[in-house]
Amino acid sequence: MNSSIKEVSNNLFDIKKASLIIIILPYIGFNFQELIQSPFYSITNLFFLLATLFLIEFFYKLIKIKFKKYGTFITIIVTSFVMVFFYGYYFVNPIYNFFNINWAIEIRGLATILLLLIISICLQYFIVLKKKANYKNLNIFLLVFGIVTLIAAHNPNSKNKINYNSFHNAYKSIHLQDSVVKPVLLIVLDEYNSPDNLYTLFKDSNLYQFSTQLKKDGWEVRNNSYSYETSTIHSVASILNYNLSLNKDYKESDLAAIEYYYLKHSLLIDSLYKKDVKFINFGIFDINNNEKKYSLYIYPESFTENFLIYTCYMFAKRQLIKFNDERLNNKDELIMEHNKFILNNITSEIDKADAKTFIKIHLYMPHAPLYYEPEFKKLELKNVNDYLQYWNFTNKKLTEMLSKLNKYRIILTGDHGLRGMPTNPHSTFTAFYGFDSTALKSIHSVQDLGSLINGSF
């Protein structure tokens, strides 16, 4: 054993032999800036990460020595797996687009990863075994490339680390004239564009049918409601923390930081808990100690996951999401089933809620995928006309759902408007049921809604 360890030590940094550390080095360089800005970052975590990588390298070479007869094959298989694991994700979309656009052939992500693995094994088999080449040139290239990327990560022009503790909220003290305590529902409509903004494009008064019906049913409606954010997670977190959007660095916060600092530690939920208000989460993010209903967004939840965020690990994690313990074919189907669950079951799910209860609901509509079978056959979002069809369908389904929820105070709002089209992504829609007009005068943006919810109890 001692002789094996000594042999490993002698070969650990042999430039002519395959090195897992050197293969991984460019990946570390590319993502180092993001890694050290992670909310999970610490010197200790970084040390353990590097130590783990060196241990993997050590045991890889120890196994090769123990099984010298198969050393070359072990090298080819292990290095191929490591290369595809750390870099395969970058090829999934380009390969998918190439085959889909040119031959209308859909190659799933898993098939792409397996294809890359086979290609890597075949290439290495041909070069190493047939051509009797070593890994010197590849190692030198990866070493230089990795060092350059690490140096670039420390570029003074790179994004500065954000001090999340310095963010201020814009809490508004709001009190309802009606002293009756009722459950409050916040229904977030993902990427719901405002009727006013759509009217500028289509000049069709039918765009106001839904809001007109809400007014007849006693709702106060804002057909053009302003959202500071055009990102769902930023918008929701800002609502739940009394409008963080006024901080200039807030938009630059990454998903892991938003989740760690502001969704897992919501000021609004903390305040409601102090008032003995229950919180029910039918959203798509973990909020305080209340888990999300379904994982439509995947973001790192630890330092290790932050390190692996652009590897096949996170790709696989996205692919393995289940809905009600059932494995679905793809994310589009998961989103459709989530929307169906909310629209068809939310009344029975919350029917027995106590008066002092805040319920957050996230409806992933009219956001793409434009898909609600069998009622709405799948439609690709190619232009704003496609979006409008699904927007109208969303209104139809909302009308059916809201008619059963009239015993609650309800806030119905978009998180932001439609992006990437000739529409204003900051222009969305908000409607209120069961709130007095005086209290609503303090609400000037979607992100102010947290103050209204807090003031309802």
Side-chain angles (χ1 to χ4, degrees), residues 123-350:
L123 282 174
Q124 287 199 70
Y125 176 84
F126 177 77
I127 294 170
V128 176
L129 281 180
K130 297 297 184 182
K131 295 296 184 180
K132 305 297 182 182
N134 59 44
Y135 288 87
K136 181 179 179 180
N137 291 334
L138 176 63
N139 283 340
I140 290 173
F141 169 76
L142 291 174
L143 194 59
V144 172
F145 191 44
I147 292 172
V148 168
T149 56
L150 278 170
I151 292 172
H154 291 83
N155 189 317
N157 294 323
S158 296
K159 184 173 67 176
N160 293 324
K161 188 174 178 68
I162 296 173
N163 181 8
Y164 295 100
N165 294 322
S166 67
F167 283 4
H168 299 286
N169 64 69
Y171 174 75
K172 299 172 185 283
S173 180
I174 296 175
H175 299 285
L176 304 187
Q177 292 180 350
D178 181 1
S179 59
V180 176
V181 177
K182 294 182 180 180
V184 174
L185 271 66
L186 172 65
I187 305 174
V188 177
L189 308 173
D190 210 304
E191 206 166 63
Y192 191 104
N193 213 74
S194 78
D196 282 0
N197 190 227
L198 290 173
Y199 184 81
T200 63
L201 300 173
F202 294 98
K203 306 301 182 186
D204 184 357
S205 59
N206 288 324
L207 292 165
Y208 294 101
Q209 283 184 349
F210 177 58
S211 58
T212 299
Q213 184 59 51
L214 288 179
K215 289 178 183 177
K216 289 180 180 177
D217 294 338
W219 290 67
E220 181 164 326
V221 173
R222 296 181 181 179
N223 284 315
N224 187 14
S225 181
Y226 184 78
S227 173
Y228 284 98
E229 306 300 332
T230 59
S231 152
T232 298
I233 191 169
H234 286 76
S235 183
V236 171
S238 187
I239 292 170
L240 297 177
N241 289 275
Y242 308 126
N243 198 345
L244 297 173
S245 302
L246 301 179
N247 294 278
K248 64 181 181 64
D249 290 329
Y250 180 71
K251 286 180 174 59
E252 303 300 321
S253 306
D254 64 28
L255 298 186
I258 291 288
E259 184 266 347
Y260 180 81
Y261 287 105
Y262 301 122
L263 291 174
K264 290 284 185 71
H265 302 90
S266 161
L267 294 175
L268 169 62
I269 304 304
D270 284 345
S271 175
L272 295 180
Y273 281 161
K274 290 176 182 177
K275 300 176 183 179
D276 296 321
V277 176
K278 295 180 181 178
F279 171 49
I280 300 175
N281 185 11
F282 286 95
I284 58 176
F285 306 114
D286 292 341
I287 300 173
N288 287 47
N289 60 345
N290 205 306
E291 292 185 358
K292 53 187 166 283
K293 185 64 180 176
Y294 297 110
S295 299
L296 303 188
Y297 280 75
I298 294 293
Y299 43 84
E301 299 184 22
S302 67
F303 184 75
T304 301
E305 286 196 344
N306 212 102
F307 172 67
L308 298 174
I309 190 170
Y310 300 114
T311 68
C312 289
Y313 164 78
M314 290 301 278
F315 169 77
K317 188 175 180 180
R318 289 183 179 93
Q319 300 303 307
L320 295 174
I321 296 172
K322 292 184 177 182
F323 183 91
N324 286 341
D325 295 324
E326 179 185 356
R327 174 76 179 92
L328 301 179
N329 292 323
N330 52 52
K331 186 179 179 181
D332 286 2
E333 189 176 359
L334 172 68
I335 289 170
M336 181 181 71
E337 293 301 329
H338 167 84
N339 290 335
K340 284 185 175 182
F341 175 86
I342 295 298
L343 290 167
N344 296 331
N345 300 290
I346 200 62
T347 305
S348 59
E349 290 283 335
I350 65 176

Side-chain angles (χ1 to χ4, degrees), residues 18-32:
S19 168
L20 304 186
I21 291 287
I22 293 177
I23 291 172
I24 299 169
L25 185 61
Y27 175 86
I28 297 173
F30 271 125
N31 304 302
F32 191 72

